[in-house]
Amino acid sequence: MSALDSAPAEIMGMPRGRAVALTRWAIIVGAALALELYGRLFADPSFFQPLSAIARAWVNPIMSDERIVGALGMAVFEIALAYGLSIVVGAAIGMAIGGSNFARASFLPIVLLLYAIPQVSLMPLFVLVFGLGAASKIAFGFSHGVFPVIVNVVAGMRNTNPLHLRAMRSMGGTRADELRHVVFPNMVPSFFVGLRLAMTMTMLGVILAELYVSTGGIGYFTRVYAENYNPAPLFALIGSLAIIAVAFNSLVRVAERRLMPGRRPTARLNLSGARTK
Amino acid sequence: MPVDTAPDLADAAISIRGVTQRYAAAGAADGVLALDNISLDIRRGEFVCLLGPSGCGKSTLLNIVGGLFKPTSGEVLVGGRRVDGAPHPDEIAFVFQESTLFPWYTIIENFRIALKLRGVAKSEWDDRAMEALRAVGMASFARHYPNQLSVGMRQRVNMARGICVETNILLMDEPFAALDEQSRMVLGEDLSILLAKTGKTIVFVTHSLAEAVFLSDRIAVMTARPGRIKTIVDVNEPHPRAPDFMLAPRFGELRNDLFAMLREEIRVAMASQRDPVGGGVT
């Protein structure tokens, strides 16, 4: 971070921002060209095809087949619902657990234990309980998304500045005032870290469930294309999922920028999921 | 032996009587004695500093006076009313370090919360807040967030927040500790001027000798743990005090006297930090 901050204002005779944007685009265009060349010159067409063919497959069949567009829409719906449930339930459980030392000491280890279970191993159970349709995907996405929300809400409630609480009490504030004016606002950055992690995890859960068993969703079409050695529409479909993922992540970022109270440094997401300032 | 300059009781804004505080601690059967039988009467409109080595319990005493902690024994009367481990926001306002401003609210929003909790009518919040901010020269920063201001500016605002609730008593817990020496002195000067106008009773915890001499009417020097009142020094200098006071010979004498008294306590405190009470881990 400091290395970036101390970078010169100009790189190769242009403003830093433009140089960064140019570099990004150069990487993307370079990668696309490399894939195109690889697809045309070297690849086995039953495993990979050039980008131009993938783009054509995206227009037809992916975007022109009602069933596939419907399946993509269904995936968006499943992710959105699983995500919404993760936030609401995760925040409620997180606040209940984070609300007192007793509750945190009693329940958090159990939550962390559940969080640590590789959930893919429970997939058959989800299908048995929730069936082959959307319900099992939503449940599986929720089971992935809810934990990061809980853990980050608890963490956010925990690092309340004791001096803020004491100031609140000295002004005659009740426990409700403490929660409203100190604990909750203090929790918000950590909550958003949880939301971003939860977005990624929810999508992972829904897509895993789709791939595991699907009777007409994106998982079904993915399997059809893969098993028929038809890579162009397969990659086009995966590309559509990537676009959906980017769109959801942007939504969370916009929400964060709008809703974050106060002028504070935005919490950054690093690989360990911890908060940095 | 506790020193008690008993003024006329009707005059006492705060009366501390035989306050003792023990903390439970591992390895010490009956806990660690933090404050030992402290008695002190503080007159209305008086500025009293609690000065002592770190860990002597001066902040603990302040928190007991403010009703944030409950003493193990003894009592505190504020305006004749017994403080029983509960804050009296109608009588007492606290000023802590500048970091107690809520960073997620703008300055004016911080003030509104204090005024709301004090029971001030909503229509008066902004007028009262702006008045207090003007008094410390910070009115133009009402809509800023705390971390857009410098540490010194934040502490001005924080002081104003303590003043805007218009209590008779202000308790200040090392409010300038995070400031550099120069800002400390300037803020101290402003505080001295401000307080001469309001006539508030103030108890101020500090470990800065110069700050204590410059601001106080009386300085209660405390011993190393267990905290007792070692002696009380009268400053006898009218408020508001000009910065020239710091250059007066009397200022230097008082400060040197205080330092001589504190030095042995600081040595005791440092020795006990190397060898914690009861052999427990501190």
Side-chain angles (χ1 to χ4, degrees), chain A residues 161 163-174 177 180-183 185-186 261-265, chain B residues 63 67-69 87 89 92 94 96 99-105 113-114 116-117 145 147-148 161 173:
Chain A
N161 183 344
L163 215 49
H164 285 153
L165 292 176
R166 212 193 296 175
M168 203 65 201
R169 219 154 75 74
S170 77
M171 291 189 278
T174 59
D177 293 316
R180 183 175 160 203
H181 295 297
V182 180
V183 177
N186 184 69
R263 192 77 58 97
R264 298 192 278 193
Chain B
N63 281 303
L68 292 176
F69 298 170
I92 295 176
F94 261 97
F96 301 97
S99 56
T100 48
L101 289 170
F102 302 130
W104 37 84
Y105 293 137
I113 290 173
K116 181 183 171 189
L117 292 176
Y145 285 95
N147 58 15
Q148 292 174 290
R161 181 170 69 165
D173 191 357

Side-chain angles (χ1 to χ4, degrees), chain A residues 94-180:
Chain A
M95 283 179 206
I97 292 179
S100 74
N101 287 331
F102 172 77
R104 191 178 59 239
S106 314
F107 295 109
L108 190 61
I110 298 169
V111 169
L112 292 175
L113 182 78
L114 291 175
Y115 192 10
I117 294 174
Q119 292 180 35
V120 185
S121 56
L122 299 177
M123 182 98 74
L125 200 64
F126 277 84
V127 176
L128 273 179
V129 175
F130 294 99
L132 298 175
S136 62
K137 282 82 177 173
I138 293 164
F140 202 60
F142 166 77
S143 80
H144 276 73
V146 73
F147 288 104
V149 178
I150 296 175
V151 170
N152 279 284
V153 165
V154 172
M157 289 180 83
R158 185 177 199 175
N159 65 21
T160 307
N161 183 344
L163 215 49
H164 285 153
L165 292 176
R166 212 193 296 175
M168 203 65 201
R169 219 154 75 74
S170 77
M171 291 189 278
T174 59
R175 178 67 184 155
D177 293 316
E178 282 181 4
L179 286 175
R180 183 175 160 203

